Amino acid sequence: MHNTKGAEFNNVVIVLNDQFAGEKDYFSRFFKEYPNIQETKEARNLLYVACSRACVNLIVMLPKEMYTENKATFVRLFEEMD
């Protein structure tokens, strides 16, 4: 995700994995604390960069538990990115 800044692709698939950056809850913490995202600014920026690389199709895959626990946050966040 870090190396895609400035690039564009027709199709982007993002797999959110909580075992990222040496932390066990890297993205879960972000979604639980959203919209108070000052503490998780790096996760927010990384996700934004990855999502904004898609020109045509964007697919975000994540563990079912992460989605179930944070469904309202996902809906709100991706509506804002639209």
Side-chain angles (χ1 to χ4, degrees):
M1 289 188 228
H2 286 288
N3 294 329
T4 63
K5 190 171 184 178
E8 292 182 336
F9 306 94
N10 285 336
N11 304 297
V12 173
V13 177
I14 300 169
V15 179
L16 294 181
N17 182 343
D18 267 351
Q19 299 294 325
F20 187 80
E23 296 181 36
K24 291 184 179 180
D25 63 349
Y26 191 81
F27 285 108
S28 289
R29 185 171 31 113
F30 165 69
F31 292 115
K32 285 180 179 140
E33 295 176 6
Y34 183 85
N36 183 22
I37 51 181
Q38 291 304 318
E39 296 174 23
T40 57
K41 188 175 180 180
E42 183 180 347
R44 179 199 64 190
N45 291 344
L46 187 60
L47 182 61
Y48 173 80
V49 167
C51 290
S52 64
R53 303 304 95 206
C55 294
V56 179
N57 298 303
L58 171 65
I59 297 171
V60 179
M61 297 174 17
L62 58 145
K64 184 177 181 179
E65 302 81 34
M66 188 189 302
Y67 179 75
T68 302
E69 292 173 7
N70 303 287
K71 184 176 180 180
T73 300
F74 279 104
V75 170
R76 187 170 65 230
L77 177 66
F78 284 99
E79 283 176 351
E80 289 175 11
M81 287 183 167
D82 191 14

